[in-house]
Amino acid sequence: MKKIVALLLAIVLLLCGCGQKGADASGTIFCMDTVMDLQIWGSDADEAYTKLAQLLRSLEQEWSANEEESAAAKLDREDAELTQQQAALAQKALALSQRTQGAFEPRIYGLTSLWGFTTGQYRVPTPTQIAEGMQSTRWDLGAVVKGYAGDRAVELMQELEVDRALLNLGGNVQTYGTKADGSAWVIGVRDPQDPNGTVGNLEVTGTCNVITSGGYQRYFEQDGVRYHHIIDPKTGYPADSDLASVTVVCTDGMTGDVLSTALFVMGYEKAVAHWQQHDDFEAVFILKDGTVRVTEGITFTGGSYEVISREN
Ligand code: AMP
Ligand code: MG
């Protein structure tokens, strides 16, 4: 009898041990044109996983830049009725556009579609086409919808009283809650030169977003020239940035997503100045020469880097 009890105890301990490591519900979905990896811990993790996948798919439909009936398309029609949430998102996008002095421009569909980034039919437009594209005010919220989805996912996790979650929404990482042992979430920052490598790790605690924008994420080549998907609204061409990537750490997902795109457009100097003027985010900048620079509020491990301070 003693032997059986000992065996059962060993099995239970083993199972508990597994529970500490793996999530209670996890899986991968393809959504918003990208792969999303979802891990959830808690007693009702399965239900939370199902509801989260439903939420992400409904947001994909709601904010698609190409669907005639999407909320993005409704924003283009003055008479269309928006829900309160949709109107709030649009207002926040416009406010963030102002904050970044237009480096983030939510009404950029005229340009992103011209280059083929909304459809996958890539081409280099003529200067006349670019000038026309710049006149358009059609909405494209591709730069923020994953960050916004992270915010909505957090609301859902709160509502369902999930213990914690680690969501990789196609390169946008949303953490929720604190790890069981109280240690930090460790998130690798991708090396723009190496699809399988990282330049180091970010350590964050609690509920947070780690969001990266980089020219390497989506691009096409024509006549030996590489054209990436982050457009400078002031020129109509892919941003001629001295940065290879920008990773933003921010509590608010939508703000973090706007900033990663906008700071990339601004380039290193203006981006650092923007950080020095605001205290709601931290950032990792990887310059085109491979140098890694990290703002002073960040815990960065496993790679060499220079620290950027608030005073200079
Ligand atoms: P992200 O990967 O978050 O940096 O967002 C890039 C996507 O946002 C692109 O694929 C475009 O759909 C859109 N986009 C490109 N440039 C801009 C810009 N300057 N402002 C707002 N959206 C942009
Ligand atoms: Mg973005």
Side-chain angles (χ1 to χ4, degrees):
M1 184 66 186
K2 262 188 186 170
K3 263 189 184 172
I4 294 172
V5 171
L7 194 70
L8 283 174
L9 203 69
I11 291 170
V12 169
L13 286 174
L14 203 74
L15 289 176
C16 289
C18 289
Q20 290 298 303
K21 275 191 196 141
D24 295 315
S26 63
T28 303
I29 60 168
F30 188 80
C31 186
M32 299 182 189
D33 221 12
T34 187
V35 176
M36 297 187 170
D37 186 47
L38 316 175
Q39 298 183 68
I40 301 174
W41 289 261
S43 49
D44 293 328
D46 284 330
E47 185 200 353
Y49 182 91
T50 307
K51 288 197 167 155
L52 177 61
Q54 277 167 357
L55 171 71
L56 293 168
R57 293 207 187 288
S58 72
L59 290 174
E60 173 186 38
Q61 281 244 307
E62 187 176 357
W63 291 104
S64 161
N66 293 319
E67 297 280 337
E68 276 311 302
E69 283 314 307
S70 77
K74 275 196 203 164
L75 287 172
D76 298 324
R77 301 195 298 265
E78 273 178 17
D79 58 334
E81 275 193 25
L82 298 168
T83 66
Q84 238 181 1
Q85 250 176 346
Q86 290 167 347
L89 189 155
Q91 251 182 4
K92 188 166 167 179
L94 290 173
L96 286 164
S97 179
Q98 265 200 335
R99 165 177 166 170
T100 61
Q101 291 169 323
F104 163 72
E105 171 49 76
R107 290 155 303 181
I108 202 169
Y109 184 87
L111 290 169
T112 50
S113 61
L114 197 56
W115 286 91
F117 288 114
T118 52
T119 56
Q121 283 159 356
Y122 304 122
R123 67 191 154 193
V124 178
T126 64
T128 314
Q129 287 172 322
I130 299 258
E132 279 168 17
M134 286 171 85
Q135 300 304 312
S136 164
T137 55
R138 207 171 146 184
W139 289 71
D140 169 4
L141 287 160
V144 292
V145 78
K146 285 186 284 169
Y148 173 73
D151 293 334
R152 294 286 300 274
V154 166
E155 282 171 19
L156 183 69
M157 301 291 119
Q158 280 166 342
E159 206 178 288
L160 299 175
E161 298 182 2
V162 155
D163 290 345
R164 58 191 186 281
L166 181 60
L167 315 175
N168 187 340
L169 310 177
N172 278 34
V173 178
Q174 171 77 65
T175 64
Y176 175 74
T178 307
K179 277 168 76 175
D181 61 3
S183 63
W185 298 104
V186 180
I187 295 150
V189 178
R190 211 184 110 178
D191 181 351
Q193 312 285 357
D194 174 6
N196 301 313
T198 56
V199 296
N201 298 312
L202 274 169
E203 294 192 8
V204 298
T205 47
T207 301
C208 193
N209 289 272
V210 177
I211 299 177
T212 301
S213 287
Y216 66 87
Q217 289 172 330
R218 191 183 292 193
Y219 61 86
F220 68 95
E221 278 174 348
Q222 193 171 303
D223 303 326
V225 181
R226 188 182 275 203
Y227 300 93
H228 62 70
H229 70 311
I230 304 175
I231 308 291
D232 184 343
K234 295 195 172 70
T235 65
Y237 286 82
D240 183 18
S241 182
D242 52 356
L243 294 164
S245 75
V246 181
T247 300
V248 169
V249 180
C250 188
T251 318
D252 186 77
M254 182 163 161
T255 304
D257 211 352
V258 162
L259 288 176
S260 67
T261 310
L263 300 181
F264 183 88
V265 171
M266 287 178 197
Y268 180 69
E269 259 184 46
K270 281 193 183 153
V272 169
H274 192 85
W275 169 71
Q276 285 167 331
Q277 289 152 13
H278 296 83
D279 61 5
D280 60 350
F281 74 100
E282 301 288 337
V284 176
F285 300 103
I286 306 181
L287 282 91
K288 278 199 174 141
D289 67 6
T291 316
V292 179
R293 299 207 179 130
V294 176
T295 58
E296 64 185 5
I298 276 180
T299 307
F300 194 79
T301 54
S304 54
Y305 63 96
E306 295 166 18
V307 177
I308 311 166
S309 68
R310 292 246 171 230
E311 326 291 333
N312 59 3

mmCIF file of all heavy atoms in Angstrom, residues 31 180 183 263 280 287:
data_model
loop_
_atom_site.group_PDB
_atom_site.id
_atom_site.type_symbol
_atom_site.label_atom_id
_atom_site.label_comp_id
_atom_site.label_asym_id
_atom_site.label_seq_id
_atom_site.Cartn_x
_atom_site.Cartn_y
_atom_site.Cartn_z
ATOM 1 N N CYS A 31 -3.482 34.120 -38.261
ATOM 2 C CA CYS A 31 -4.478 35.186 -38.163
ATOM 3 C C CYS A 31 -3.784 36.515 -38.459
ATOM 4 O O CYS A 31 -2.607 36.679 -38.126
ATOM 5 C CB CYS A 31 -5.035 35.171 -36.731
ATOM 6 S SG CYS A 31 -6.396 36.284 -36.432
ATOM 7 N N ALA A 180 4.672 32.112 -12.254
ATOM 8 C CA ALA A 180 4.405 31.438 -10.977
ATOM 9 C C ALA A 180 5.539 31.656 -9.975
ATOM 10 O O ALA A 180 5.298 31.858 -8.785
ATOM 11 C CB ALA A 180 4.184 29.956 -11.221
ATOM 12 N N SER A 183 9.561 35.232 -11.437
ATOM 13 C CA SER A 183 10.673 35.686 -12.291
ATOM 14 C C SER A 183 10.134 36.443 -13.514
ATOM 15 O O SER A 183 8.939 36.427 -13.801
ATOM 16 C CB SER A 183 11.503 34.482 -12.743
ATOM 17 O OG SER A 183 10.699 33.637 -13.541
ATOM 18 N N LEU A 263 8.917 55.193 -34.759
ATOM 19 C CA LEU A 263 10.326 55.427 -34.421
ATOM 20 C C LEU A 263 11.227 54.926 -35.539
ATOM 21 O O LEU A 263 12.267 55.510 -35.828
ATOM 22 C CB LEU A 263 10.699 54.750 -33.092
ATOM 23 C CG LEU A 263 9.926 55.197 -31.854
ATOM 24 C CD1 LEU A 263 10.421 54.448 -30.623
ATOM 25 C CD2 LEU A 263 10.003 56.691 -31.616
ATOM 26 N N ASP A 280 6.405 56.851 -21.305
ATOM 27 C CA ASP A 280 5.492 55.694 -21.320
ATOM 28 C C ASP A 280 6.030 54.501 -22.102
ATOM 29 O O ASP A 280 5.291 53.567 -22.392
ATOM 30 C CB ASP A 280 4.105 56.107 -21.848
ATOM 31 C CG ASP A 280 4.142 56.670 -23.257
ATOM 32 O OD1 ASP A 280 5.260 56.935 -23.773
ATOM 33 O OD2 ASP A 280 3.064 56.848 -23.858
ATOM 34 N N LEU A 287 20.847 49.347 -35.038
ATOM 35 C CA LEU A 287 21.223 50.162 -36.185
ATOM 36 C C LEU A 287 21.607 49.274 -37.364
ATOM 37 O O LEU A 287 21.869 48.081 -37.192
ATOM 38 C CB LEU A 287 22.366 51.118 -35.802
ATOM 39 C CG LEU A 287 21.844 52.324 -35.018
ATOM 40 C CD1 LEU A 287 21.851 52.071 -33.534
ATOM 41 C CD2 LEU A 287 22.634 53.571 -35.344
#
